[in-house]
Amino acid sequence: MIIKVAQSAGFCFGVQRAVEGVLAWAKANKGKSVKIYGMLIHNSYVIDKLKELGIEVVEDIEQIAKEDIIFIRSHGVSMDEYAEIEKRAEKVYDFTCPYVKKIHEIVKEHSENGYDIIVVGDMNHPEVKGIVGHVSNNRKCFVIDSIEKVKEATNQIEGKAVVVCQTTFDNKKWSDIREFLESHTNYKVFDTICKATINRQKEAAELAKRVDIMLVVGDKKSSNTNKLYQLLNETKPTFFIEKVEDLDSIKLDSSAKSIGVTAGASTSPEQIEEVVKYLEEKFNEMNLKDFERLIDRSFSTVQRGEVVKGRIIKVEEDYVLVDIGYKAEGIIYKNEVIKNGNVNLKDIFKIGETIEAVVIKESDEEGNVVLSKHRADVLHGFGELLSRYENKEPVRAVVKSIKEKSIVCDFRGTNVYVPISQWGEDVQTSDIGKIFEIEITDVNKEKKIAFGSRKPLLKRREEERFIKQIESLDFSREYDGIVVEIKEKGIMVNFENLRGFVPASEVGHLKRGTDLKKLFEIGRKSQG
């Protein structure tokens, strides 16, 4: 039997950050009283491992003493809970998921500014309780999980409102609710569902199409793992297991030839590895590339200054998200694509495109790896430009600025200067940020700059267009045209995107010396 493992199975960035942070601190500070307020993550397997290191899980603030080091769970807590914990504990480390923290900021800021709050999610989930606990200024707050409940909430809201979503809420339900809100209200709607969760579900669904049976590994208290199971079980025989021992009770279809394995965001690499090894031993046939890719991804790291390759998964006007084969996505902001260039990134990049970038920050506030395409371009861009120059190949460059005598363009981090006289058409300020094809005319290797022209390219294109247009004409038929100029020896006519000259001798039966201006008028239609 073939065993295939989903590439994104296992810890998401927020969970990995929390688990590794607590483990590292506990190992370096043995003998101290270390406690986690609430389950750090929804995974009993991981929590048991933490307990083995002497880390205690407490659910009641009253259990916190002055000598305690407290770690805040990844789901977050309310403002009141956090303040009380700070009063009681010796030290507090906040491992709230950065995506959840962003929701806290949205809710707190907007409630302080007079907005009522709608939280889409499960009212019993600790993440939702923490979000609700950031509503201030006595504003109304509603927790809803269906369009029916949305309608009930909107009937009770008289003014402005903000809508956020639990990061692990069902994406299909969220899409329906968001669509309803955006079409029936003027509320501010923030799409705060975790993109890693969506990508995980999409990838698992694709994997399910290629196998006979699916296994979902994770804790049954985990919201995102449960939703993963429910999604897959609708289309494929799917089994939900928490530990490797659960496999003994599963009766597999004897006709099945392949198994797909995926896991929730709170499932550790060790759990997945145990399951895969068990399946390998039982069926003695495994797709090792899938397994190695999973393990590599689970333990992979990124470092500042490292050059990474990735596939673009989202493009906005001012930033790009990139899958770099890591637990967190890479993000490239506009200024790290082209320095000082007012560009719309949607004009430059396409989803699915592979690009190279340099890591400039391991994690931003939302957990993304911050990348710079500009720095990668500086490393390799000049070499590519030089190669294109030598091979007489044009480059596609972005207009950065317009100077008095030249236009400054950017090709992969290299400045290309085009004299205005060589631009080939009228220069518009609206050209800034747009991409143009440019022929490189000279390169200064010492300064690593280049000079270019568009005139030869435009001329060649016009000639090609003219030849193509001429070849398409039917010389046996007549064409309508517009008179654009009247001369003594004939008239100039625009027709079929061409300009033609009609000699006086071909106008018709005219007497010698006839004034053509009396017969034709500029702008009038003529046939010939």
Side-chain angles (χ1 to χ4, degrees):
M1 183 177 286
I2 300 296
I3 303 160
K4 297 185 72 67
V5 184
Q7 185 175 353
S8 61
F11 281 172
C12 66
F13 165 77
V15 169
Q16 186 172 19
R17 169 179 171 269
V19 173
E20 290 182 354
V22 172
L23 285 173
W25 201 97
K27 288 176 181 177
N29 295 272
K30 290 180 179 179
K32 291 202 173 185
S33 177
V34 182
K35 296 177 179 177
I36 303 169
Y37 183 66
M39 287 187 73
L40 181 70
I41 61 173
H42 277 157
N43 187 323
S44 300
Y45 177 95
V46 173
I47 298 299
D48 288 343
K49 293 289 183 184
L50 295 176
K51 288 178 179 178
E52 289 174 8
L53 291 171
I55 300 171
E56 185 181 348
V57 178
V58 298
E59 300 286 352
D60 190 342
I61 289 180
E62 296 294 330
Q63 296 175 274
I64 298 174
K66 288 182 179 179
E67 67 276 9
D68 289 342
I69 307 297
I70 299 296
F71 292 98
I72 302 297
R73 64 193 175 207
S74 60
H75 297 112
V77 297
S78 69
M79 289 190 291
D80 291 343
E81 283 178 302
Y82 194 93
E84 185 61 27
I85 291 169
E86 277 194 313
K87 286 180 187 177
R88 291 171 174 267
E90 177 186 330
K91 188 76 175 176
V92 180
Y93 291 94
D94 189 356
F95 280 102
T96 302
C97 169
Y99 294 114
V100 176
K101 234 177 180 173
K102 183 68 176 177
I103 302 175
H104 291 175
E105 293 169 3
I106 292 170
V107 167
K108 184 174 183 294
E109 178 187 342
H110 284 84
S111 57
E112 286 175 349
N113 288 302
Y115 285 81
D116 288 332
I117 307 296
I118 294 178
V119 181
V120 180
D122 176 2
M123 67 173 61
N124 296 313
H125 195 282
E127 179 188 323
V128 173
K129 291 178 180 178
I131 294 169
V132 172
H134 280 75
V135 178
S136 62
N137 204 21
N138 294 317
R139 300 310 306 178
K140 295 176 183 176
C141 180
F142 303 88
V143 178
I144 60 96
D145 60 4
S146 66
I147 291 177
E148 290 69 30
K149 290 184 180 178
V150 170
K151 293 175 182 177
E152 292 175 13
T154 55
N155 289 334
Q156 299 178 60
I157 295 175
E158 297 177 356
K160 54 189 181 180
V162 152
V163 183
V164 294
C165 181
Q166 176 186 336
T167 57
T168 56
F169 192 68
D170 183 275
N171 187 48
K172 176 65 170 64
K173 283 186 179 180
W174 164 240
S175 297
D176 292 342
I177 291 170
R178 183 179 63 185
E179 185 178 334
F180 176 85
L181 285 163
E182 290 177 342
S183 59
H184 290 81
T185 73
N186 59 355
Y187 300 161
K188 290 178 72 173
V189 180
F190 289 87
D191 186 1
T192 55
I193 199 163
C194 178
K195 300 302 181 292
T197 298
I198 298 172
N199 293 337
R200 183 191 309 273
Q201 291 176 357
K202 286 181 179 177
E203 185 195 345
E206 285 300 313
L207 176 59
K209 294 176 183 177
R210 305 195 303 271
V211 296
D212 299 319
I213 295 170
M214 285 295 296
L215 285 180
V216 176
V217 186
D219 199 297
K220 292 187 177 178
K221 292 187 292 293
S222 166
S223 172
N224 76 86
T225 312
N226 269 287
K227 290 179 177 65
L228 193 58
Y229 167 72
Q230 292 163 10
L231 171 73
L232 296 172
N233 200 39
E234 290 177 359
T235 59
K236 187 74 61 175
T238 304
F239 298 92
F240 192 158
I241 62 170
E242 291 189 294
K243 52 189 182 299
V244 70
E245 290 80 9
D246 295 341
L247 288 168
D248 293 327
S249 61
I250 293 176
K251 293 181 180 180
L252 299 177
D253 185 343
S254 58
S255 64
K257 295 181 180 179
S258 56
I259 295 179
V261 180
T262 188
S266 56
T267 306
S268 70
E270 292 84 0
Q271 286 173 276
I272 303 168
E273 184 178 355
E274 286 178 4
V275 169
V276 173
K277 281 186 175 180
Y278 174 94
L279 293 171
E280 179 192 13
E281 291 171 3
K282 185 170 182 177
F283 299 107
N284 201 31
E285 189 176 359
M286 178 184 172
N287 189 325
L288 287 174
K289 286 185 179 179
D290 285 341
F291 180 61
E292 288 168 1
R293 183 178 60 185
L294 163 72
I295 299 305
D296 287 345
R297 188 180 180 105
S298 297
F299 292 101
S300 64
T301 59
V302 291
Q303 295 182 344
R304 186 173 299 183
E306 179 183 352
V307 178
V308 296
K309 281 187 177 181
R311 181 177 59 84
I312 294 175
I313 57 176
K314 184 176 183 180
V315 182
E316 295 293 338
E317 289 186 11
D318 54 359
Y319 73 90
V320 174
L321 286 182
V322 186
D323 178 0
I324 56 173
Y326 181 60
K327 284 294 179 181
E329 293 163 350
I331 188 166
I332 306 175
Y333 294 102
K334 182 192 292 186
N335 198 43
E336 290 299 336
V337 174
I338 296 173
K339 294 292 184 182
N340 306 315
N342 184 24
V343 298
N344 182 341
L345 299 186
K346 289 185 175 181
D347 295 333
I348 301 176
F349 299 110
K350 293 180 180 178
I351 291 175
E353 180 183 349
T354 299
I355 62 170
E356 196 173 59
V358 174
V359 177
I360 58 175
K361 191 175 182 182
E362 289 90 342
S363 173
D364 63 8
E365 292 180 354
E366 295 187 354
N368 297 307
V369 179
V370 184
L371 306 173
S372 171
K373 185 177 183 299
H374 173 76
R375 296 191 191 184
D377 286 344
V378 168
L379 293 173
H380 306 296
F382 185 75
E384 183 182 340
L385 182 139
L386 197 58
S387 173
R388 287 177 174 270
Y389 168 61
E390 292 170 349
N391 293 317
K392 297 183 179 180
E393 297 174 352
V395 300
R396 283 170 55 80
V398 179
V399 174
K400 288 172 60 176
S401 61
I402 299 173
K403 306 295 184 182
E404 184 179 348
K405 294 183 179 180
S406 66
I407 296 166
V408 185
C409 304
D410 177 278
F411 173 75
R412 297 200 62 191
T414 299
N415 280 345
V416 180
Y417 297 87
V418 181
I420 287 179
S421 62
Q422 292 298 310
W423 193 246
E425 56 189 357
D426 291 340
V427 178
Q428 309 286 339
T429 55
S430 58
D431 290 340
I432 295 174
K434 292 182 180 178
I435 300 173
F436 293 91
E437 206 166 33
I438 296 169
E439 193 171 86
I440 303 300
T441 57
D442 194 17
V443 175
N444 187 319
K445 294 181 182 179
E446 288 184 7
K447 294 183 179 180
K448 289 194 172 182
I449 60 174
F451 301 90
S453 172
R454 293 184 66 230
K455 260 190 172 181
L457 284 172
L458 295 176
K459 185 178 180 181
R460 282 199 298 273
R461 285 181 184 169
E462 181 57 28
E463 289 173 351
E464 289 168 2
R465 188 196 68 81
F466 178 76
I467 292 170
K468 188 176 180 180
Q469 200 71 26
I470 290 293
E471 289 175 347
S472 69
L473 292 177
D474 182 354
F475 289 89
S476 64
R477 58 163 286 199
E478 294 183 344
Y479 292 92
D480 289 333
I482 302 296
V483 177
V484 293
E485 190 177 354
I486 302 171
K487 297 185 175 183
E488 183 179 343
K489 295 184 178 181
I491 58 175
M492 300 293 295
V493 180
N494 282 350
F495 74 105
E496 300 291 312
N497 292 320
L498 294 168
R499 175 166 293 190
F501 177 70
V502 183
S505 60
E506 297 295 327
V507 168
H509 301 289
L510 298 178
K511 292 181 180 179
R512 185 182 296 274
T514 301
D515 187 356
L516 295 179
K517 291 182 180 180
K518 292 181 179 180
L519 298 176
F520 298 99
E521 184 180 339
I522 292 175
R524 293 292 297 273
K525 186 180 289 187
S526 176
Q527 192 176 63

